[in-house]
Structure formats: C-alpha cells, structure tokens
C-alpha cells in the first residue's frame, strides 16, 4: 500500500491511497464466506458454494463491493498512522479506481488537529479579586443561620411581609381548572419569591379564611409558561420569631459555646470560600490569556457538531427538566435568537480552542494521569451529575468514556502548570500565592470546565 497526504487547510487533509490487489485477498476471502452464509444455491450445501459459482450467480461486483467495504477502514487507518495524523471525526471516502485483479485507489478527506506552537507562557499576568471578609459579610452569614432556626406561631391578624402563610391554590387557563393546578396546605414565606409572581401582593393583608385572585405565568407543570388565573386562599397566618443572637443561640446552631466563636468560624469559612473563588478566577483568567497567545484554527465541521450538541443538550436535557422550550428560555433570559446563536458559537469556539491548546501542553509537559486522580475526578463528575459514583462509573465504562475523563484530568493538570507559572495579583496589588491545596483544586476543577466547553455530549452519553 502507498499513501500520500495533501494539506487542504490547517485543519483538513486529503489522503490518497493506492492498494495492490493482492492486499485485498483476506477481505475477498471474507466476502465470499459472508455471501456463502447468506445465500442458497441448489446442488450445494450452505456455506460450501464455490467462488466461481457465486461470481456467476450473484456477480463479481457484489463480491468486490463487500471486500472493499471490509478493507477500507483498515487501509485508511494504516494511512493515518503512517502519516502520523490526528483525525477528528469520520473521513469522506471516495473510491477513485477499482480494477479487478489490479488495484484499489481511494481518497479520504478528514479534519485533523491543527499543529500548534505554544509560546512561552511564564510571562502571563492576571488580576483577581482580593480575599476580604467584612464585618457585614459575617453578620449576613450569621443572620442567614439565624433565619434557619426561626420558629413560627399562628396569629389572628392580616398577613405581612415575612409571615409564613398556609395556602390553597387553584390555577385556571382559559377558564378551565388544570388537572395539576390544584394544591392544598402549601406553606409559603411572604417575600421569599419561591412561588408565583404576584402571590406576595395577593396574600398580604389577608387573614385566615381570606382569598384573592391574581394573574401569573406558570413556572412548571402541564401549562408551564402560560398565563393563568390563580385563586389563593389563606388558611393560616403565622409570625416568624427569630432566636436572640447570644451564646445560647451559638450552642443551639453550632458546635461552639459562644457567639464570638461562631462569628469567628463564619469569618474563616467565608475567607475559605473566597480563596477558592479566587483560585477559580485565576484559572479562568490565565486560560483566557493563554488562548490569546496561541493561534488556533478551528475545523468548521467540528465546530458545527459542537454547536448542535450544545443546543441539543440545552433543549432536551436542561430545559426539558424545567418544563421550558428554547423560545421561553430566551424570553426569560431577555435574549434574541441571534444573540443566543452568537453566544453558543463563541462558547463552542472557545471550548474547542481550550481543548486543543491544553492537549498540546499535555504532550509538551509529558503529563500523565494516575488512578487516584482519575477516581477523584470521577467522584466530582458523579456528584455534579446527580448520580452515585458507582452509577456514573458504570455509565462511563459502558459508554466508552474513560479516555474522555482521562483527557479532562490531563488538561486540568496542564492548566495548573500554566497557572503556577503565571503571576497572579489581587486588586490590592498583592501577589497571590496559590498554595498546593489551591493548585490541587484548580487541577481538578479545570478539566470539568474544559469538559463543559468541549465535550458537551459527554453528560448526555453518561446520562443516557
């Protein structure tokens, strides 16, 4: 077999392959054997029909077609390996010449990973938010904890902001009560925004036994997104009572003995959260700077496939679970279809470039993934997917997605290398020292970001 490569553009090549006919022998034998098992000829046992009889009865062309279909993948793979190509997707194959007993010639056009030059990235500098926890932040955190320990007691008065009301609901669309539009004994905190738009104004001022009707757009159910006439009846009004902020509350709500200890712990937890956010911000901004340094051509076919996959996952997975369609989602987001298309394309381009660049860095830095790293990443992906680790692992193995997860972890390690080499300053001008723990977090979070950007079909495959 002889092959040659012609570069059509930075992301597409054409392979020209010439195969001597004798190299088709194994595929011809397999073709005769397969046809033997599929046909019957009077006077011959099944599977024992001579080749010449098959040629006479069914035509030599049918045999050649079967043989070529069997042989093409092998010769294509050999040509790809010989040329040391990194193909993306399936090739477009065209048989240019097939002479019985002489030769098989074909061409194969396929997208390939572009050759990239990664410049020195040690000079990357980024700015991130400073880690600052104010007294107001601490007070807000403690107040949220206090809210969780609030008690309620029924009152004989009209409902006010902050009260907890027990209500019955009935929703009508076009004058008809919906089958799933009736609910009784619903507990609702006025002002929480957890139910329908307009319900706060409807129930405020009502005492137990009072009712009101208002119009609102339904957020879920069989008539999600439609305007409904909703009747709400208040069956109980209860006032919320917050515990006193003292040492007794600290003992009730935490493992601490004093309120000061509780506040100190809240301050530490808030600082840890902001430190984590700062590391994530550093990762994202370093990645943006890295992508600016590298010219990355994007294969158009790969881009279109990625865009279509993203749209499919949004419409059939995320929005479907919320009872929304794309039109309603865009309305809620305040976006036009053109803006959505532009954003989706930009995100897909960035995702593909991210994968190409980080994969190149994996090769340059000779990064490997060990079992512990893979297991930790699998646990994180399982948690984000809502599946148990065992379920997620089984889905990954059955879907042949293990190499994909390995790639995610490797890309995360590559990004961690770049982040470590970069200069990161906070908004106060101070150098940010991302310690080992933060770098580990960055290394495990980065592949998940890359996965969302470049392998949009991965979650669909594991969920399916």
């Amino acid at each position: 077999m002889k092959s040659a490569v012609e570069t059509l553009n930075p992301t597409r090549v054409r392979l020209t392959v010439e195969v001597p006919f004798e190299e088709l022998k194994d595929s011809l034998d397999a073709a005769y054997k397969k046809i033997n098992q599929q046909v019957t000829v009077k006077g011959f046992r099944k599977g024992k029909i001579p080749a010449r009889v098959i040629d006479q009865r069914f035509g030599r062309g049918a045999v050649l077609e079967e043989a070529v279909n069997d042989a093409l993948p092998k010769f294509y793979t050999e040509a790809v390996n010989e040329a040391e190509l990194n193909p993306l997707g399936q090739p477009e194959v065209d048989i240019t010449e097939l002479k019985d007993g002489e030769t098989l010639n074909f061409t194969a056009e396929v997208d390939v990973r572009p050759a990239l030059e990664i410049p020195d990235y040690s000079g990357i500098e980024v700015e991130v938010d400073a880690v600052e926890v104010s007294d107001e932040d601490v007070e807000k955190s403690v107040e949220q904890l206090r809210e969780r320990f609030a008690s309620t007691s029924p009152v004989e008065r009209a409902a006010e902001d902050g009260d907890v009301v027990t209500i019955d609901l009935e929703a009508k669309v076009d004058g008809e009560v919906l089958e799933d539009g009736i609910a009784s004994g619903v507990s609702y905190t006025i002002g929480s925004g957890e139910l329908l738009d307009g319900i706060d104004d409807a129930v405020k001022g009502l005492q137990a036994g009072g009712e009101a009707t208002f119009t609102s757009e339904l957020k879920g159910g069989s008539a999600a997104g439609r305007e409904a006439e909703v009747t709400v009846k208040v069956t109980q009004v209860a006032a919320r009572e917050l515990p006193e902020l003292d040492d007794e509350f600290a003992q009730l709500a935490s493992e601490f003995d004093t309120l000061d200890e509780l506040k100190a712990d809240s301050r530490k937890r808030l600082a840890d959260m902001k430190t984590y956010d700062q590391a994530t911000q550093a990762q994202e901004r370093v990645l943006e700077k890295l992508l600016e340094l590298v010219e990355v051509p994007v294969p158009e076919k790969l881009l279109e496939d990625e865009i279509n996959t993203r749209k499919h996952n949004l419409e059939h997975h995320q929005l479907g679970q919320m009872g929304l369609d794309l039109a309603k989602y865009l309305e809620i987001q305040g976006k036009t279809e053109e803006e959505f298309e532009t954003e989706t394309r930009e995100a897909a381009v960035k995702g593909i470039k991210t994968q190409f660049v980080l994969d190149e860095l994996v090769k340059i830095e000779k990064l490997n993934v060990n079992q512990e790293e893979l297991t930790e990443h699998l646990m994180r992906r399982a948690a984000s997917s809502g599946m148990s680790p065992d379920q997620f692992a089984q889905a990954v193995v059955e879907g042949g997605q293990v190499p994909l997860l390995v790639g995610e972890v490797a890309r995360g390690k590559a990004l961690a290398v770049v982040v470590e080499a970069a200069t990161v300053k906070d908004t106060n001008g101070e150098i940010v020292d991302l310690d080992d723990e933060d770098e580990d977090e960055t290394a495990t979070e980065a592949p998940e970001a890359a996965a969302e950007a470049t392998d949009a079909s991965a979650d669909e495959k594991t969920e399916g």
Side-chain angles (χ1 to χ4, degrees):
M1 185 194 81
K2 293 192 303 182
S3 65
V5 181
E6 176 187 358
T7 300
L8 303 178
N9 62 50
T11 63
R12 194 165 180 84
V13 298
R14 178 188 290 124
L15 285 162
T16 301
V17 183
E18 298 179 10
V19 183
F21 204 81
E22 55 266 22
E23 293 187 31
L24 282 171
K25 182 180 184 307
D26 289 344
S27 293
L28 278 169
D29 291 343
Y32 278 118
K33 185 175 181 180
K34 182 176 179 179
I35 293 173
N36 241 309
Q37 299 300 321
Q38 294 175 339
V39 302
T40 57
V41 176
K42 190 175 181 180
F44 296 96
R45 285 182 295 162
K46 196 174 187 64
K48 299 296 183 179
I49 308 169
R52 58 180 177 76
V53 175
I54 290 178
D55 288 346
Q56 291 169 358
R57 290 293 187 93
F58 305 102
R60 174 72 167 176
V63 179
L64 288 175
E65 182 179 358
E66 184 67 40
V68 168
N69 288 339
D70 175 74
L72 276 178
K74 180 185 72 171
F75 292 127
Y76 166 73
T77 301
E78 287 181 9
V80 165
N81 293 337
E82 186 178 286
E84 298 182 342
L85 300 176
N86 292 308
L88 300 167
Q90 297 300 312
E92 294 180 6
V93 177
D94 181 26
I95 298 173
T96 55
E97 186 175 25
L98 175 58
K99 288 186 177 180
D100 194 359
E102 295 183 28
T103 186
L104 163 66
N105 298 337
F106 69 91
T107 62
E109 288 190 17
V110 67
D111 287 331
V112 293
R113 281 177 177 264
L116 302 180
E117 290 190 15
I118 307 295
D120 179 16
Y121 49 78
S122 61
I124 290 178
E125 294 186 9
V126 298
E127 184 181 75
V128 295
D129 295 336
V131 175
E132 297 173 341
V133 180
S134 66
D135 291 342
E136 183 181 346
D137 292 332
V138 175
E139 294 300 329
K140 183 178 180 181
S141 175
V142 173
E143 189 62 27
Q144 289 173 342
L145 183 61
R146 187 184 178 205
E147 290 277 349
R148 287 168 50 192
F149 284 85
S151 59
T152 59
S153 57
V155 291
E156 298 294 331
R157 60 165 173 77
E160 301 173 354
D161 267 327
D163 285 344
V164 178
V165 290
T166 304
I167 55 178
D168 297 336
L169 294 166
E170 181 183 86
K172 293 180 180 179
V173 172
D174 297 332
E176 296 291 331
V177 178
L178 299 171
E179 288 186 14
D180 55 354
I182 299 176
S184 301
V186 177
S187 181
Y188 175 68
T189 302
I190 300 176
S192 67
E194 295 175 351
L195 278 179
L196 299 168
D197 293 338
I199 194 169
D200 289 340
D201 291 337
V203 297
K204 277 192 293 187
L206 295 181
Q207 296 188 27
E211 67 176 57
T213 300
F214 64 101
T215 300
S216 183
E217 183 180 294
L218 298 179
K219 297 181 179 179
S222 61
R226 298 185 64 183
E227 290 286 330
E229 182 183 85
V230 182
T231 299
V232 55
K233 181 178 181 180
V234 176
T235 59
Q236 185 185 76
V237 178
R240 299 176 74 250
E241 298 175 1
L242 297 175
E244 291 294 326
L245 279 178
D246 52 23
D247 292 346
E248 187 176 336
F249 168 71
Q251 295 164 19
L252 170 69
S254 70
E255 71 271 29
F256 301 106
D257 293 327
T258 68
L259 184 60
D260 287 342
E261 289 174 333
L262 173 60
K263 288 184 176 181
D265 180 69
S266 294
R267 186 179 295 276
K268 180 181 181 303
R269 285 189 297 102
L270 289 170
D272 289 345
M273 289 170 57
K274 291 196 174 188
T275 299
Y276 176 81
D277 290 343
Q278 185 187 66
T280 302
Q281 193 177 62
Q283 163 206 311
E284 293 170 348
R285 294 183 178 178
V286 167
L287 177 59
E288 289 175 1
K289 290 284 189 179
L290 177 64
L291 294 181
E292 290 174 6
L293 293 176
V294 187
E295 184 174 344
V296 187
V298 176
E300 192 60 33
K301 177 67 166 59
L302 179 65
L303 176 59
E304 293 305 319
D305 288 346
E306 178 65 19
I307 290 171
N308 290 334
T309 300
R310 286 170 177 268
K311 289 179 181 177
H312 177 84
N313 286 349
L314 175 65
E315 292 188 61
H316 295 86
H317 291 271
Q318 301 169 41
L319 297 184
Q321 293 174 357
M322 295 187 289
L324 298 175
D325 59 16
L326 182 59
K328 195 62 195 176
Y329 167 76
L330 294 179
E331 182 182 329
I332 293 172
Q333 294 291 313
K335 295 177 183 176
T336 64
E337 189 170 341
E338 290 74 18
E339 290 171 333
F340 169 73
E341 293 285 346
T342 299
E343 290 180 7
T344 303
R345 175 172 285 270
E346 289 175 351
V349 168
K350 181 181 178 182
I352 292 170
K353 287 184 175 181
T354 296
Q355 182 171 351
F356 284 173
V357 171
L358 294 183
D359 283 348
E360 188 67 23
L361 275 168
V362 169
K363 288 195 298 183
I364 292 172
E365 301 292 345
K366 297 181 173 60
L367 300 174
N368 295 308
V369 176
N370 60 41
Q371 186 61 48
E372 183 180 352
E373 292 167 333
L374 181 60
T375 299
E376 182 181 352
H377 182 54
L378 186 146
M379 299 280 282
R380 288 176 178 270
R381 289 294 302 272
S384 65
S385 71
M387 302 169 70
S388 72
D390 287 345
Q391 289 175 322
F392 188 82
Q394 182 178 353
V396 166
V397 172
E398 290 178 353
Q401 300 299 302
V402 174
L404 181 143
L405 290 190
V406 172
E408 290 175 4
V409 178
R411 287 192 285 275
K413 294 179 73 171
L415 181 54
V417 169
V418 182
V419 172
E420 185 178 1
T423 299
V424 182
K425 294 182 179 180
D426 66 20
T427 48
N428 294 327
E430 299 292 328
I431 296 290
V432 175
D433 180 19
L434 299 170
D435 61 27
D436 290 340
E437 181 178 352
D438 289 332
E439 288 171 13
D440 288 343
E441 292 291 347
T442 300
T444 51
E445 291 297 326
E448 293 175 20
E452 292 174 5
T454 62
D455 296 304
S457 61
D459 289 333
E460 181 181 356
K461 290 176 181 174
T462 52
E463 287 171 7

